[in-house]
């Protein structure tokens, strides 16, 4: 008796264009995790993190965060008002944002280099590094421009401390990361997080988990039927 041939689960890739100094990207990560849990029995999804810089003009050593935010939002009151919705969304996702503990807003290019190296170890290692960097910045108030902070995050995620330290001390992949950021801008990415699914469809902003799961299902359905999925982008996302 011939055994039935097992049916392979549909596959989907999601490239997340993000910046580790973006609170909405941390929120978006949590919402994507919920969406992936929802669809895990229906499809296999590979997640890849792609670099973006909200402010590439920040120096390596960073800038006083309070001053930076007040300049950006027109004073202390404007900064607090701008982050009210972030705090509320973070609470919903059980993210203990500690904005008051963040002393420095730093250039994140080196953080993206570490994320890129983690990607060579596989999606799980890359995701772990991103998680550690988000926690270091938004929950522990650490300076993402500090090599020690970056090395500690990499080590916690399972990367080799000595290798990361050596790479950070040089120029490895600096141009490659910068080029990838520029490519994202040329593709029209102006806000993050941006979830690029199967390199065809973009879901912009920290959308609810239900919306992300729905987008994934529609794209997988299109792949299986050959019918065009509805537009899943949302330019008005937070």
């Amino acid at each position: 008796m011939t055994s039935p041939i097992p049916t392979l689960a549909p596959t989907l890739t999601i490239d997340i264009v993000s910046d580790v100094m973006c609170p909405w990207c941390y929120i978006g990560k949590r919402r994507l995790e919920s969406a992936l849990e929802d669809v895990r029995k229906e499809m296999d999804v590979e997640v890849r993190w792609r670099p973006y810089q909200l402010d590439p003009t920040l120096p390596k050593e960073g800038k006083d965060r309070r001053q930076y935010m007040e300049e950006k939002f027109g004073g202390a009151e404007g900064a607090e008002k701008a982050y009210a919705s972030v705090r509320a969304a973070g609470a919903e996702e059980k993210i203990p944002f500690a904005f008051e503990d963040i002393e420095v807003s730093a250039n994140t290019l080196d953080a993206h280099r570490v994320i890129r190296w983690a990607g060579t170890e596989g999606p799980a290692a890359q995701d772990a590094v991103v998680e550690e960097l988000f926690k270091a910045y938004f929950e522990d108030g650490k300076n993402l421009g500090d090599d020690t902070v970056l090395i500690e995050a990499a080590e916690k995620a399972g990367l080799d401390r000595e290798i990361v330290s050596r790479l950070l001390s040089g120029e490895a992949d600096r141009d490659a990361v910068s080029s990838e950021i520029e490519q994202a801008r040329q593709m029209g990415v102006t806000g993050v997080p941006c979830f690029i699914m199967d390199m065809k469809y973009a879901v912009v902003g920290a959308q609810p988990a239900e919306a992300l799961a729905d987008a994934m299902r529609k794209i997988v359905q299109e792949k299986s039927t050959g019918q065009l999925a509805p537009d899943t982008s949302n330019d008005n996302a937070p």
Side-chain angles (χ1 to χ4, degrees):
M1 181 175 179
T2 304
S3 300
I5 299 174
T7 302
L8 297 176
T11 60
L12 183 71
T13 60
I14 301 179
D15 291 274
I16 310 173
V17 183
S18 76
D19 193 358
V20 285
M21 71 175 292
C22 167
W24 284 112
C25 291
Y26 196 4
I27 293 167
K29 184 176 189 296
R30 285 289 177 271
R31 291 176 176 175
L32 176 64
E33 288 166 351
S34 295
L36 291 174
E37 180 64 22
D38 187 25
V39 304
R40 66 186 177 87
K41 293 182 179 180
E42 304 171 39
M43 65 189 77
D44 292 327
V45 183
E46 179 179 338
V47 176
R48 303 177 296 208
W49 291 87
R50 302 299 187 185
Y52 195 83
Q53 284 193 284
L54 292 176
D55 189 350
T57 68
L58 283 167
K60 164 73 172 174
E61 65 276 9
K63 187 173 184 178
D64 179 84
R65 179 175 170 80
R66 181 182 297 274
Q67 177 187 353
Y68 178 70
M69 298 303 290
E70 290 181 1
E71 290 176 354
K72 184 175 181 178
F73 294 106
E77 185 177 346
E80 184 60 32
K81 183 177 180 181
Y83 267 62
S85 59
V86 177
R87 290 182 185 276
E92 290 179 0
E93 302 303 329
K94 296 180 173 58
I95 299 175
F97 282 119
F99 296 117
E100 63 281 356
D101 293 337
I102 303 174
E103 296 182 357
V104 176
S105 291
N107 190 294
T108 56
L109 184 63
D110 284 342
H112 286 302
R113 292 167 70 201
V114 175
I115 294 170
R116 180 183 180 88
W117 301 329
T120 64
E121 300 292 325
Q126 189 179 50
D127 189 80
V129 166
V130 172
E131 179 73 16
E132 290 296 337
L133 291 172
F134 275 139
K135 286 183 176 179
Y137 186 58
F138 288 115
E139 298 182 27
D140 301 330
K142 294 182 179 179
N143 181 358
L144 292 181
D146 185 338
D147 285 357
T148 300
V149 172
L150 300 180
I151 293 168
E152 287 177 352
E155 185 176 33
K156 285 182 180 178
L159 273 66
D160 187 291
R161 181 185 184 92
E162 296 304 319
I163 292 177
V164 173
S165 178
R166 174 171 52 81
L167 290 171
L168 275 174
S169 67
E171 298 296 311
D173 288 322
R174 185 177 297 276
D175 289 342
V177 171
S178 296
S179 296
E180 197 169 347
I181 293 171
E182 180 57 31
Q183 182 182 26
R185 297 186 193 280
Q186 291 178 359
M187 288 172 59
V189 176
T190 57
V192 290
C194 179
F195 303 90
I196 302 175
M197 301 188 179
D198 263 9
M199 297 302 292
K200 292 180 180 180
Y201 308 100
V203 178
V204 183
Q207 298 295 319
E210 295 80 3
L212 291 170
D214 184 56
M216 286 186 266
R217 289 187 174 107
K218 287 177 179 176
I219 293 169
V220 165
Q221 180 183 19
E222 177 207 336
K223 292 172 69 173
S224 64
T225 64
Q227 295 179 352
L228 183 65
D231 183 7
T232 58
S233 64
N234 185 346
D235 294 334
N236 297 316

